[in-house]
Amino acid sequence: MNELNDLVDRAQAEFLAVDQPAELENAKARYLGKSGALTALMKDLAALTGDARRERGAQINLAKQAVERALQQRRDALAEAELQQRLAAQAIDVTLPGRGQHAGGVHPVVRSWMRIEEIFRSIGFEVADGPEIEDDWTNFTALNSPQNHPARSMQDTFYVDLKDEHGQPLLLRTHTSPMQVRHARAHAARHAGAAAMPEVRVIAPGRTYRVDSDATHSPMFHQFEGLWIGEDVSLADLKGVYTGFLHAFFERDDITLRFRPSYFPFTEPSAEIDMMFDSGPLRGRWLEISGAGQVHPKVVRNFGLDPERHIGFAFGSGIERLTMLRYGIGDLRQFYAGDLRFLEQFNAA
Ligand code: PHE
């Protein structure tokens, strides 16, 4: 009896000592296999007879069942351990914080764009929109910058792999001035033959492109073009309109303007408009904010109008520059770096 109990204990201990299924099957063979310990005891029964044999047989059978139970328990335990291990390895970490939902906001440059439209609408200007991919004639030639004109090199741009009907490559517009041409030509055509033509009074804001990149230049930037053509529109009107615009845009009246003689092929005379705040941190510093001038007679002719009768002014201003001055931003590249910490400031509740 004891000898059988010991055997069951040993088997149980051996099964518990292994932790690989293959080792467990080897341990099993040592007891239940062909040359296992229990198998050997069964063979020994042949030497017994009668009750002794029956009794011994029953005892060995009980021991065998105990070993088989222990084996099955260990198999189950190892299988369960393996399953737990696999589950742990494949676990999905659901504890990451969610991304949440954030309210979007209006970009500071677009905020200025909207303000500019509102201010000019309030003084009777239309707002026009036009293509960013422009043809050579409208961007340059119609604006009195023929092919090979040196002024073209001031505005190097990006070309598109497509040609217009004259075989010239299309390009990304270098300024919003082609909108003078598009808008005035459509206006003139609409009123052709009429005794009197309503004045052209329009601004055209939008994206423009140049091969330029530093703290105050971005290859993509925004301008708004202004154009006022009538029968007696003068530079005094330009000064009045632009001064009123700046007062409204910056919401202050202590601003001084200066028209500094300059050159643009499409205006004559031409000027840079400089402004100066009379108080605050930028006080006393001249800041260049716009090109402007009286529209050149050749350009008026390209509008489809008679320069002896129609006269007026145009200006083209940088929206980033105005936005930087309004908010005191030092580096234009911040507008396009996509840093929410910067952008969110303009949308504070
Ligand atoms: N198109 C000019 C520029 O981008 C600005 C300008 C517009 C000047 C209209 C005069 C008249 O530099």
Side-chain angles (χ1 to χ4, degrees):
M1 245 341 258
N2 263 346
E3 160 226 1
L4 283 175
N5 283 344
D6 287 353
L7 188 141
V8 171
D9 286 350
R10 252 188 295 124
Q12 216 158 22
E14 270 185 52
F15 294 165
L16 282 174
V18 304
D19 54 9
Q20 295 299 323
E23 289 171 28
L24 182 61
E25 295 314 309
N26 288 339
K28 167 200 160 185
R30 282 196 290 280
Y31 294 92
L32 301 170
K34 247 194 219 145
S35 45
L38 278 162
T39 319
L41 291 178
M42 290 294 225
K43 281 184 190 151
D44 291 346
L45 278 181
L48 300 176
T49 53
D51 281 355
R53 180 175 171 169
R54 214 176 312 122
E55 202 174 311
R56 177 75 177 156
Q59 286 167 352
I60 295 174
N61 255 334
L62 282 176
K64 192 178 168 197
Q65 280 164 18
V67 170
E68 280 169 346
R69 256 197 322 274
L71 176 71
Q72 196 51 49
Q73 268 168 15
R74 190 63 187 148
R75 274 184 182 146
D76 291 349
L78 289 183
E80 173 69 14
E82 199 207 307
L83 176 66
Q84 290 305 333
Q85 213 171 20
R86 269 219 319 269
L87 287 177
Q90 296 170 1
I92 299 167
D93 183 356
V94 294
T95 63
L96 267 183
R99 291 217 180 86
Q101 289 190 346
H102 295 275
V106 177
H107 191 279
V109 167
V110 176
R111 265 175 196 271
S112 292
W113 180 337
M114 287 157 52
R115 286 174 62 74
I116 291 163
E117 288 192 2
E118 200 176 297
I119 293 165
F120 277 95
R121 279 205 166 99
S122 77
I123 55 166
F125 277 63
E126 282 180 73
V127 176
D129 191 18
E132 290 168 33
I133 296 178
E134 191 50 279
D135 58 72
D136 187 271
W137 187 81
T138 316
N139 192 82
F140 289 120
T141 310
L143 291 163
N144 199 27
S145 313
Q147 293 277 345
N148 306 320
H149 192 288
R152 281 193 176 205
S153 63
M154 285 158 57
Q155 300 192 351
D156 194 11
T157 187
F158 302 95
Y159 289 84
V160 178
D161 225 358
L162 288 171
K163 298 215 159 57
D164 64 18
E165 67 265 36
H166 308 293
Q168 294 298 319
L170 295 177
L171 46 88
L172 299 187
R173 65 180 180 187
T174 57
H175 48 179
T176 42
S177 299
M179 280 307 293
Q180 291 182 34
V181 180
R182 287 184 178 274
H183 185 83
R185 279 173 74 82
H187 184 96
R190 204 159 44 239
H191 300 284
M197 185 190 81
E199 292 188 335
V200 176
R201 241 182 276 138
V202 69
I203 60 159
R207 277 180 281 275
T208 48
Y209 303 83
R210 281 183 211 173
V211 181
D212 234 351
S213 185
D214 59 38
T216 52
H217 297 91
S218 149
M220 185 284 300
F221 59 105
H222 295 76
Q223 285 192 335
F224 67 101
E225 197 75 8
L227 179 67
W228 185 354
I229 300 284
E231 300 202 352
D232 60 354
V233 179
S234 75
L235 288 186
D237 296 311
L238 166 63
K239 189 165 185 185
V241 164
Y242 213 88
T243 305
F245 161 67
L246 289 180
H247 288 172
F249 183 80
F250 289 107
E251 295 172 280
R252 55 196 280 189
D253 288 338
D254 60 339
I255 296 173
T256 307
L257 266 75
R258 159 173 101 176
F259 286 73
R260 182 162 42 85
S262 185
Y263 173 77
F264 296 101
F266 34 94
T267 45
E268 181 60 35
S270 301
E272 299 286 350
I273 305 178
D274 298 337
M275 60 165 270
M276 184 168 75
F277 291 118
D278 301 330
S279 63
L282 291 171
R283 174 173 173 259
R285 267 180 49 198
W286 285 114
L287 308 159
E288 183 183 313
I289 44 170
S290 187
Q294 182 174 305
V295 180
H296 195 289
K298 282 192 187 167
V299 176
V300 174
R301 200 167 293 122
N302 289 333
F303 291 168
L305 298 173
D306 175 7
E308 294 299 328
R309 183 166 173 198
H310 299 283
I311 190 167
F313 65 77
F315 57 82
S317 319
I319 302 182
E320 279 82 354
R321 177 69 63 90
L322 287 166
T323 310
M324 288 168 81
L325 292 176
R326 181 165 152 82
Y327 296 111
I329 296 163
D331 189 336
L332 179 146
R333 287 169 292 200
Q334 282 186 285
F335 286 136
Y336 305 115
D339 185 340
L340 287 180
R341 290 168 304 179
F342 172 74
L343 296 172
E344 273 169 354
Q345 299 175 84
F346 302 93
N347 289 285

